[in-house]
Amino acid sequence: MSQNIEHLPEEQPALRMLPMPRDINAAGDIFGGWVMSQVDVAGSIAAMRRTRCRVVTVAVNSFVFLQPITTQYLVSFYSRVARVGTTSITVDVDVYAETGYDNVKILKVASAQLTYVAVNEDGSKRLIAPEQS
């Protein structure tokens, strides 16, 4: 289930969003597909920064929703490279939500791992260059 935490991670989020009323589902929570879409964007940002090229999503390895999100939450997506292969890159994404003004509550609301493939302009796979120091 959800994990109440005191502080957001130290690193900068890849993405920070404020869900809008149009993003809610029939139960009144933010639609899971909206969260998944933003996770994919946040993960691709980390992948593109590391590969320095276009990437495409090839797999959602895992995705866990820990807590419903409402339009009252500011949602932050933190992504980090987990593994770099020859042409693919795996990224972990953690999602946190902040709610409240006077008494801010921070929750870890989702966690995912996605794999991307580096591609050329024509969509063919390309090698990922070694990391430069």
Side-chain angles (χ1 to χ4, degrees), residues 14-74:
L15 188 63
R16 187 167 275 155
M17 302 287 294
L18 185 62
M20 303 305 269
R22 69 179 174 270
D23 302 318
I24 61 172
N25 63 22
D29 299 316
I30 297 304
F31 179 57
W34 180 89
V35 177
M36 294 178 86
S37 176
Q38 304 313 316
V39 163
D40 190 23
V41 170
S44 70
I45 290 170
M48 287 186 298
R49 281 184 163 166
R50 170 55 185 86
T51 63
R52 294 291 184 212
C53 68
R54 181 177 162 211
V55 297
V56 295
T57 310
V58 69
V60 177
N61 305 327
S62 67
F63 205 112
V64 179
F65 291 98
L66 303 169
Q67 164 86 27
I69 302 170
T70 73
T71 57
Q72 304 298 311
Y73 288 13
L74 175 61

Side-chain angles (χ1 to χ4, degrees), residues 109-121:
V109 295
S111 182
Q113 185 180 74
L114 300 94
T115 299
Y116 302 87
V117 171
V119 296
N120 293 306
E121 289 303 315

